[in-house]
């Protein structure tokens, strides 16, 4: 799964790819840079590359909501971060497959997506920035971890990773 956190124009994502019982990769790049934007997705990971290709092919984000682009499992979210404006836009298809929504978040807000979203939101509500929030989520969410990649405007930062502490 994926955990994405956004706060005050900064966005961060983990790099942990796993199945329920084992880790596949702890250094995956869960984002693409295309057309001056940074693209993320949560939900069906197999759909991400197709969504990136479709995003590049359309002229306007509103054209992107066509069902042919948002195929795959329901609940897939496609996240577009514009480093110039530092704004985040979410494209989401609901679980009943009967509508697609587009929403642009204001720069001064907290929002999180993915398996560790609840933990990341809690951390941000207590003062953590986006990167710190994803690191906090990795402590409690077994599907979040690895290197944390963050973007603050056009600045890119990769952490050295997250160490987990297990209590016995």
């Amino acid at each position: 799964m994926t955990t994405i956190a956004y706060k005050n124009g900064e966005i961060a994502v983990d790099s942990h790819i796993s199945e329920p019982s084992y880790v596949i990769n702890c250094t995956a790049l869960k984002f693409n840079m295309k057309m001056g934007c940074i693209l993320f997705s949560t939900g069906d990971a197999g759909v991400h590359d197709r969504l990136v290709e479709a995003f590049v092919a359309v002229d306007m984000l509103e054209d992107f909501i066509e069902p042919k682009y948002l195929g795959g499992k329901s609940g897939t979210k496609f996240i577009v971060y514009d480093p110039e404006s530092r704004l985040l836009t979410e494209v989401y298809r609901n679980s009943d497959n009967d509508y697609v929504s587009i929403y642009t978040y204001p720069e001064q807000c907290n929002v999180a997506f993915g398996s560790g979203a609840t933990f990341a939101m809690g951390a941000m509500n207590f003062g953590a920035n986006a990167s710190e929030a994803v690191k906090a989520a990795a402590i409690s969410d077994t599907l979040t971890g690895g290197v944390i990649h963050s973007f603050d405007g056009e600045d890119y930062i990769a952490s050295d990773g997250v160490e987990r502490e297990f209590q016995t």
Side-chain angles (χ1 to χ4, degrees), residues 21-86:
S21 60
Y22 62 92
V23 175
I24 297 171
N25 186 341
C26 284
T27 59
L29 296 178
K30 295 183 176 181
F31 60 89
N32 294 81
M33 296 181 187
K34 299 284 184 186
M35 299 173 52
C37 293
I38 304 165
L39 313 173
F40 307 85
S41 64
T42 65
D44 186 353
V47 174
H48 180 77
D49 289 340
R50 185 166 40 127
L51 292 173
V52 169
E53 289 175 15
F55 177 80
V56 171
V58 299
D59 292 326
M60 297 177 57
L61 191 57
E62 288 75 18
D63 295 336
F64 183 69
I65 66 172
E66 293 297 319
K68 64 183 176 183
Y69 296 133
L70 288 174
K73 294 178 184 174
S74 60
T76 298
K77 292 185 181 190
F78 191 68
I79 313 297
V80 180
Y81 176 71
D82 180 349
E84 186 175 321
S85 68
R86 296 178 55 172

Side-chain angles (χ1 to χ4, degrees), residues 8-11 38 81-86 150-156:
N8 298 333
E10 177 197 6
I11 188 167
I38 304 165
Y81 176 71
D82 180 349
E84 186 175 321
S85 68
R86 296 178 55 172
S150 65
F151 302 87
D152 192 349
E154 295 182 3
D155 295 330
Y156 166 70

